[in-house]
Amino acid sequence: PAMVHDDLRNRAGAFEAIRAGIVELVRLAEQNCSPLVVSVNSVLSRSSIRSFPELCRILNSWGVKRIYFNQLGGVSRPAFHEEQKLSLE
């Protein structure tokens, strides 16, 4: 998932930065007995769909309690959407 994420975002190290932030949020919530529930929303695309089960396991290991997902939309980047949209093929 890290390589797929960073490739789709065109940002090396972005997944690791997200990991560090999520782990810190979970730590602070637990330390302060906060009712905060850390959740993640993932956008599914042709490149990311196969690694989604592994991503869910990773997020769980970080302490994420809720995982939401959406299909890739294409309003702002139509060419990218055409290349990455999910299909039954």
Side-chain angles (χ1 to χ4, degrees):
M3 189 167 54
V4 171
H5 178 273
D6 289 1
D7 286 349
L8 286 171
R9 292 289 174 199
N10 198 27
R11 287 186 177 254
F15 189 85
E16 173 55 29
I18 291 168
R19 184 206 62 76
I22 289 173
V23 168
E24 181 65 5
L25 278 174
V26 169
R27 185 190 72 75
L28 289 170
E30 290 173 353
Q31 174 184 323
N32 294 301
C33 300
S34 170
L36 175 73
V37 175
V38 178
S39 61
V40 168
N41 184 57
S42 180
V43 176
L44 301 179
S45 67
R46 197 172 287 166
S47 293
S48 68
I49 190 79
R50 287 187 178 92
S51 63
F52 186 64
E54 182 183 357
L55 175 63
C56 291
R57 288 188 290 276
I58 290 169
L59 294 173
N60 182 59
S61 77
W62 295 350
V64 172
K65 300 298 182 203
R66 294 186 184 145
I67 302 168
Y68 302 96
F69 59 93
N70 301 35
Q71 181 173 316
L72 177 69
V75 176
S76 63
R77 296 168 52 189
F80 180 78
H81 178 262
E82 188 59 34
E83 175 187 307
Q84 290 294 325
K85 70 182 177 183
L86 299 177
S87 69
L88 297 175
E89 301 171 1

